[in-house]
Amino acid sequence: MLCQVCQSHIVLSAYSFGECQSCGNELVCSNTPVDALCPECSIVECRCKHCGQSIRNPVVLLSIKPKWWEKIASGEKQVEIRKTAPKVKYPFWTIVYASSPISKIVGTFFCTDVSGPCAAEEVSAYQHCISQSELAVYAGSKREKKLYVWNISDVTILKTPIQLSRLGFRHPPMDWRYISK
């Protein structure tokens, strides 16, 4: 596996220990060299947790219902279905905000690419955990039946969710938004 930011090879068959370069908290990493940053500092500073480098591509803040985040975090859901997609170079880093009742940032993932626009019927080929009838309702009227499939990889789950205000925002996006850092 490669770090999506620094393209470093990050697989070891042992544990490694160190501390976060930003906050000094102890880090324990399994099967990788010790990370440079804890996940929380990585998000707040928009830096790669593996190498500590700044994220060069735009970062996207995605608002998602907690039930879908749980499926992504468990690996059951491997794509995110949206009516729109960022117009950026892939991969891009996605910070995940879980909506009510959690209302906090709960993790991150890399979006390796986006497929689409596609009709709701075409989306069934992907592992998305949504029934065909739910997908048709989400897609909307016949004129709006174009959907985008965000491919998910390298999911990071925060041990302690963090407040959106730590990123300088008072309100979450209705869907997603770019973060300028």
Side-chain angles (χ1 to χ4, degrees), residues 146-157:
K146 297 299 179 186
L147 300 173
Y148 293 85
V149 180
W150 298 26
N151 292 295
I152 296 170
S153 74
D154 299 332
V155 175
T156 298
I157 304 161

Side-chain angles (χ1 to χ4, degrees), residues 2-116:
L2 295 177
C3 169
Q4 296 288 338
V5 175
C6 61
Q7 299 297 308
S8 298
H9 199 61
I10 57 168
V11 177
L12 294 175
S13 58
Y15 286 93
S16 54
F17 301 89
E19 63 182 43
C20 175
Q21 293 173 357
S22 187
C23 68
N25 285 342
E26 182 181 21
L27 298 173
V28 178
C29 300
S30 62
N31 301 325
T32 68
V34 69
D35 289 335
L37 299 169
C38 66
E40 292 81 3
C41 289
S42 173
I43 290 170
V44 172
E45 297 175 19
C46 279
R47 292 169 48 198
C48 173
K49 72 177 185 172
H50 303 299
C51 64
Q53 293 181 36
S54 292
I55 305 289
R56 289 180 209 85
N57 286 358
V59 177
V60 171
L61 175 62
L62 176 72
S63 187
I64 192 169
K65 291 183 179 178
K67 73 175 186 176
W68 300 123
W69 170 246
E70 289 170 12
K71 290 182 183 293
I72 289 170
S74 73
E76 182 181 351
K77 188 172 190 269
Q78 297 176 358
V79 297
E80 177 63 11
I81 309 298
R82 294 287 163 151
K83 293 181 183 178
T84 60
K87 294 177 181 167
V88 297
K89 181 181 164 192
Y90 306 115
F92 62 86
W93 196 41
T94 306
I95 297 173
V96 181
Y97 173 85
S99 60
S100 184
I102 296 172
S103 302
K104 291 184 180 177
I105 295 168
V106 292
T108 66
F109 63 80
F110 275 95
C111 180
T112 55
D113 70 341
V114 175
S115 301

